[in-house]
Amino acid sequence: MINKKTLFDKIWDSHLVSQSEGQPDLIYIDLHLVHEVTSPQAFENLRLNQRSVRRPSLTVATIDHNVPTINREKITDPIAKKQIEVLRENCQEFNINLYDINSSNQGIVHVIGPELGLTQPGMTIVCGDSHTSTHGAFGTLAFGIGTSEVEHVLATQTLIQRKPKKMEIRTNGDLPIGVSPKDLVLAIIGKIGVAGGTGHAIEYTGDAIRNMSMEGRMTVCNMTIEGGGRAGMISPDEITYEYLEGKKFIPNNKDFKEVVDYWDSFKSDSESEYDSLVEIDSQSIEPMVTWGTNPGQVTQVSGKVPDPLDFIDSEDQENAARAIEYMGLEPNMLIEDIKIDRVFLGSCTNARIEDLRSAAKIIKGRKVSNNVNAMVVPGSMIVKIQAEKEGLDGIFKDSGFEWREAGCSMCLGMNPDILIPGERCASTSNRNFEGRQGKGGRTHLVSPEMAAAAAIKGHFTDIRNWNI
Amino acid sequence: MEPFKKFTGLVAPLDRSNVDTDQIIPKQFLKRVERTGFGKFAFFDWRYLEGEIPNPDFILNSPRYLGSEILVAGSNFGSGSSREHAPWALLEYGFKVLISTSFADIFKNNCFQNGILPIVLDSAAVSHIMSNSLSADQEAYMVTVDLQNQIVTDDLGLSKNFDIDDFRKESLLKGLDDIGRTTLLEKDISIFEKNRINRW
Ligand code: SF4
């Protein structure tokens, strides 16, 4: 066997700045994304230590976490306002490109990177945000870092890293009709557990992945971190190149062929080796709903809330009992019997144009249940404008959804969009942690289609039984 | 960063697994632009009742754990968000060492960046420490952490070695920061940048 390399190996090896025995590697970073929440202390330290930004052109910033999704011009929370102003000042001082609130390119950092073509195969990408794994859908090595590392990248354009292990998650067969990429990734996390990918860069392969759109691949890679994975990645192919062609930061048509050849060289070689393999039978996957307080506490829509005693391990029993209590559920109740108060269609997991289209298809001509308050928060202004062009906003509004401006919104509730204690939400986001969407709030993670259907019915319902 | 020295400290238990960084420091405190001031908000939703009254049912509020410097917790501690505000909050709360059977990757990196030592031990050792720190018979259960020799000990017979990355160990012992260390490789970075074939 001569030198078979995976996508991960190829990117790692081509970004090695320095390597010495027993030490972690120093790797070069091609793209550094920045948002308002995890960067202020990094810039402040640069100033304190009289350091500069080494390559300002390789850092791009946007404002997403704090922004209100209505009346955006007037941010009433003074601390949020200050954080946003601090990012503006920092970007100006250090000469960094910022997509500000009124930019038509503003949006959630992991939505705008790909749609502007900043994210390109073969790159190393970091951001002070755990869902940076999203960008791996394009055949990049992309992962979240802390604020000290943000500072490190700003100052040196490199990162000190130990090489993670490599895991292959192979999907055998296509996903059945009515089953989405979100269901696939929730099923994967249910299988490997919330720490199953710890210390690993995960490459997703196989039929279901190859036949998946870029939006779907981003959803899968996005949630890699919820399974503990350091990075999620997918070898690039025609679907990748087609998505990227013509995007703002992609070289124009004349050179595009050459660029594609370069990107193509990063694909994993066939028969290259991984440290571990997880196989998924795609055909057996159903629409999924989380019942607990981490994304691994998940089951099929046709299933039941588990009985803690179903678990063998005593730690799992305790965790399940605690989660069921927090969630206000009963063991053995049917998932379809869980009634909801709110629906949140948004976040860097599922607020891209395709997600909105799928949800709109479900609700078209139907009305949101009287007991449900539902909202759509597009992932970016580009998504919002595109959706409006297609008339999706009208479909949502007619059925009773609120139609908002782009941002993270109720994914983490740093802006005014939050759950009140006890409220139960069907959410297309990625974390159902205690209090994530508001103290005492109860989050069930689902696909956009399942969230839309739940909005109509007022409770979870199996999308496969719907005539669309 | 302060160099990490051998010390003996009071242990506080948090007998839960998958404690995520949203629990360690909830989002409403992430709007601050400073690195300090997070300690009083650590574990906010568990720690306080309405009106910021300490919740008597939250274990760390028990007077016996006042002044603890070592936190022992269930597996996969620090999962979720990359927020470095979590280690900032823990450090300011007083924790210099965290002990668990496993930590989430980004959180672990963030700890090292702030001089916190995350120690991974096997489940028998973690249970030993957990049960003694919970035990009513042990008024003040203390553990000694010796990073130089990579060992944790107590007066009840615990003597357990732990693994740590050599690079991280050296940084902690000498109080070095990563940027300082990388700056020494400035030449390599410049060469890399020069040699990088223009991709198109
Ligand atoms: S949408 Fe949610 S998960 Fe994504 S970047 Fe924003 S807060 Fe993080």
Side-chain angles (χ1 to χ4, degrees), chain A residues 14-18 23-24 26 28 30 37 40-41 45 51 54-55 66 77 79-80 82-83 120 128-130 144-149 151-152 156 158 160 162 194-195 198-199 225 228 230 251 259 262-263 294 315 319 322 412-414 431 433-439, chain B residues 15-18 20-23 27-28 30-35 38 44-46 48-50 74-76 79-85 88 102-106 109-110 113-114 165-168 170 177-183 185-186 188-190 192-193 196 199-200:
Chain A
S14 60
H15 288 80
L16 267 180
V17 172
S18 151
Q23 299 287 310
L26 189 67
Y28 199 76
D30 293 323
V37 178
Q41 297 85 354
N45 259 20
R51 286 174 173 140
R54 185 179 178 94
R55 291 276 168 261
N66 268 334
D77 177 346
I79 319 176
K82 170 150 188 224
Q83 196 169 52
Q120 299 173 11
D129 196 288
S130 58
I145 56 178
T147 298
S148 296
E149 291 173 313
E151 184 189 340
H152 192 282
T156 69
T158 64
I160 299 172
R162 286 262 172 211
V194 289
T198 304
I225 182 71
R230 190 83 184 90
V259 173
Y262 170 74
W263 288 343
N294 72 51
E315 192 175 307
N319 287 341
R322 189 181 285 130
L412 92 166
M414 273 189 78
R431 288 192 174 133
F433 297 159
E434 282 183 30
R436 169 84 176 177
Q437 297 191 292
K439 188 174 178 177
Chain B
D15 194 6
R16 295 189 179 209
S17 47
N18 306 317
D20 57 75
T21 54
D22 273 78
Q23 297 314 326
K27 70 241 164 189
Q28 60 268 37
L30 305 188
K31 294 173 194 164
R32 302 166 51 84
V33 294
E34 299 84 19
R35 226 173 239 265
F38 294 99
F44 188 85
D45 288 355
W46 290 341
Y48 300 106
L49 300 169
E50 214 52 55
S75 64
N76 195 31
S79 56
S81 157
S82 64
R83 57 189 71 167
E84 199 164 312
H85 313 67
W88 295 337
S102 60
F103 295 92
D105 288 332
I106 306 177
N109 278 342
N110 286 341
Q113 300 290 343
N114 291 281
D165 187 302
D166 289 342
F167 180 88
R168 291 293 158 211
E170 189 187 352
D177 88 312
D178 278 10
I179 299 182
R181 295 185 80 169
T182 299
T183 313
L185 299 169
E186 152 61 30
D188 291 332
I189 303 175
S190 292
F192 181 91
E193 284 179 334
R196 199 115 201 269
R199 284 177 302 176
W200 43 75

Side-chain angles (χ1 to χ4, degrees), chain A residues 64-65 108-110 129 131 222 347-348 408 411-412 430 436:
Chain A
D64 51 7
H65 283 63
I108 305 173
V109 66
H110 311 307
D129 196 288
H131 291 100
N222 173 278
S347 90
C348 59
C408 294
C411 174
L412 92 166
N430 42 50
R436 169 84 176 177

Side-chain angles (χ1 to χ4, degrees), chain A residues 323-445:
Chain A
I324 289 169
E325 192 196 330
Y326 177 87
M327 292 297 289
L329 301 170
E330 295 296 330
N332 295 315
M333 79 185 277
L334 290 175
I335 295 292
E336 292 202 87
D337 287 344
I338 300 174
K339 293 200 177 70
I340 54 159
D341 309 303
R342 305 280 297 263
V343 169
F344 172 63
L345 225 161
S347 90
C348 59
T349 312
N350 279 129
R352 299 186 178 79
I353 189 69
E354 189 176 275
D355 301 314
L356 303 194
R357 285 182 193 137
S358 319
K361 243 189 232 162
I362 305 274
I363 59 160
K364 192 170 183 180
R366 296 183 165 111
K367 288 277 179 225
V368 170
S369 161
N370 283 334
N371 307 318
V372 174
N373 174 322
M375 69 196 275
V376 187
V377 182
S380 69
M381 291 312 284
I382 291 184
V383 170
K384 179 171 189 262
I385 292 161
Q386 177 64 27
E388 287 170 353
K389 228 188 253 165
E390 296 176 21
L392 302 183
D393 59 323
I395 298 176
F396 282 112
K397 285 189 248 178
D398 287 348
S399 73
F401 272 82
E402 289 183 50
W403 180 252
R404 299 291 187 90
E405 310 278 339
C408 294
S409 177
M410 212 163 69
C411 174
L412 92 166
M414 273 189 78
N415 77 345
D417 309 333
I418 54 169
L419 296 181
I420 59 172
E423 261 188 329
R424 186 180 300 286
C425 180
S427 178
T428 65
S429 56
N430 42 50
R431 288 192 174 133
N432 50 343
F433 297 159
E434 282 183 30
R436 169 84 176 177
Q437 297 191 292
K439 188 174 178 177
R442 294 160 172 163
T443 304
H444 296 271
L445 303 177

Side-chain angles (χ1 to χ4, degrees), chain A residues 287-320:
Chain A
M288 304 293 279
V289 180
T290 62
W291 50 265
T293 53
N294 72 51
Q297 292 177 323
V298 65
T299 192
Q300 293 89 347
V301 63
S302 61
K304 291 178 193 171
V305 175
D307 188 322
L309 297 174
D310 297 345
F311 296 91
I312 303 157
D313 188 86
S314 66
E315 192 175 307
D316 289 342
Q317 288 181 356
E318 272 169 47
N319 287 341

Side-chain angles (χ1 to χ4, degrees), chain B residues 47-65:
Chain B
R47 187 167 156 200
Y48 300 106
L49 300 169
E50 214 52 55
E52 293 192 26
I53 298 158
N55 179 357
D57 293 339
F58 181 54
I59 185 137
L60 299 189
N61 284 338
S62 157
R64 67 178 282 192
Y65 301 119

Side-chain angles (χ1 to χ4, degrees), chain A residues 2-167:
Chain A
I2 16 166
N3 231 358
K4 302 271 188 200
K5 284 176 152 193
T6 64
L7 167 65
F8 170 84
D9 299 325
K10 292 180 187 184
I11 299 179
W12 190 274
D13 294 350
S14 60
H15 288 80
L16 267 180
V17 172
S18 151
Q19 191 172 42
S20 54
E21 184 76 29
Q23 299 287 310
D25 293 344
L26 189 67
I27 60 169
Y28 199 76
I29 301 303
D30 293 323
L31 175 63
H32 181 203
L33 301 166
V34 164
H35 63 67
E36 74 275 26
V37 178
T38 54
S39 64
Q41 297 85 354
F43 285 112
E44 181 60 18
N45 259 20
L46 284 184
R47 268 190 293 270
L48 287 174
N49 295 306
Q50 297 178 347
R51 286 174 173 140
S52 57
V53 175
R54 185 179 178 94
R55 291 276 168 261
S57 63
L58 301 185
T59 294
V60 174
T62 192
I63 297 173
D64 51 7
H65 283 63
N66 268 334
V67 292
T69 49
I70 35 174
N71 304 327
R72 306 218 290 181
E73 291 65 37
K74 289 199 200 75
I75 297 174
T76 47
D77 177 346
I79 319 176
K81 195 170 162 191
K82 170 150 188 224
Q83 196 169 52
I84 289 170
E85 274 160 12
V86 165
L87 181 63
R88 285 183 184 135
E89 287 161 17
N90 285 331
C91 287
Q92 192 158 27
E93 179 180 342
F94 292 101
N95 208 7
I96 289 166
N97 188 7
L98 168 70
Y99 293 105
D100 207 334
I101 293 183
N102 41 28
S103 160
S104 57
N105 291 330
Q106 177 266 344
I108 305 173
V109 66
H110 311 307
V111 177
I112 70 166
E115 74 188 2
L116 293 175
L118 288 163
T119 303
Q120 299 173 11
M123 281 183 160
T124 49
I125 302 178
V126 296
C127 173
D129 196 288
S130 58
H131 291 100
T132 309
S133 58
T134 313
H135 306 264
F138 290 82
T140 70
L141 174 62
F143 53 91
I145 56 178
T147 298
S148 296
E149 291 173 313
V150 168
E151 184 189 340
H152 192 282
V153 175
L154 289 170
T156 69
Q157 204 57 40
T158 64
L159 260 187
I160 299 172
Q161 289 285 305
R162 286 262 172 211
K163 207 176 195 171
K165 289 199 175 124
K166 293 174 288 177
M167 179 186 287

Side-chain angles (χ1 to χ4, degrees), chain A residues 88-278:
Chain A
R88 285 183 184 135
E89 287 161 17
N90 285 331
C91 287
Q92 192 158 27
E93 179 180 342
F94 292 101
N95 208 7
I96 289 166
N97 188 7
L98 168 70
Y99 293 105
D100 207 334
I101 293 183
N102 41 28
S103 160
S104 57
N105 291 330
Q106 177 266 344
I108 305 173
V109 66
H110 311 307
V111 177
I112 70 166
E115 74 188 2
L116 293 175
L118 288 163
T119 303
Q120 299 173 11
M123 281 183 160
T124 49
I125 302 178
V126 296
C127 173
D129 196 288
S130 58
H131 291 100
T132 309
S133 58
T134 313
H135 306 264
F138 290 82
T140 70
L141 174 62
F143 53 91
I145 56 178
T147 298
S148 296
E149 291 173 313
V150 168
E151 184 189 340
H152 192 282
V153 175
L154 289 170
T156 69
Q157 204 57 40
T158 64
L159 260 187
I160 299 172
Q161 289 285 305
R162 286 262 172 211
K163 207 176 195 171
K165 289 199 175 124
K166 293 174 288 177
M167 179 186 287
E168 179 187 6
I169 296 186
R170 190 187 298 158
T171 56
N172 296 317
D174 270 331
L175 293 174
I177 291 171
V179 176
S180 73
K182 179 67 158 286
D183 301 311
L184 170 64
V185 70
L186 284 171
I188 290 172
I189 298 164
K191 178 166 175 155
I192 68 172
V194 289
T198 304
H200 289 79
I202 297 175
E203 183 175 342
Y204 299 95
T205 64
D207 313 315
I209 296 294
R210 282 297 138 224
N211 295 327
M212 199 178 275
S213 68
M214 286 318 297
E215 280 87 350
R217 293 179 189 182
M218 283 188 261
T219 301
V220 172
C221 287
N222 173 278
M223 288 199 67
T224 301
I225 182 71
E226 309 310 332
R230 190 83 184 90
M233 52 209 309
I234 293 174
S235 280
D237 60 14
E238 287 309 318
I239 295 175
T240 319
Y241 312 142
E242 203 173 294
Y243 176 100
L244 288 173
E245 187 168 11
K247 295 277 188 284
K248 187 170 169 146
F249 287 97
I250 301 293
N252 64 28
N253 278 341
K254 197 165 126 268
D255 306 325
F256 191 66
K257 170 85 180 60
E258 224 173 287
V259 173
V260 166
D261 287 345
Y262 170 74
W263 288 343
D264 219 47
S265 69
F266 283 95
K267 276 182 177 167
S268 284
D269 298 331
S270 55
E271 288 167 45
S272 45
E273 292 196 5
Y274 301 82
D275 296 290
S276 55
L277 167 70
V278 175

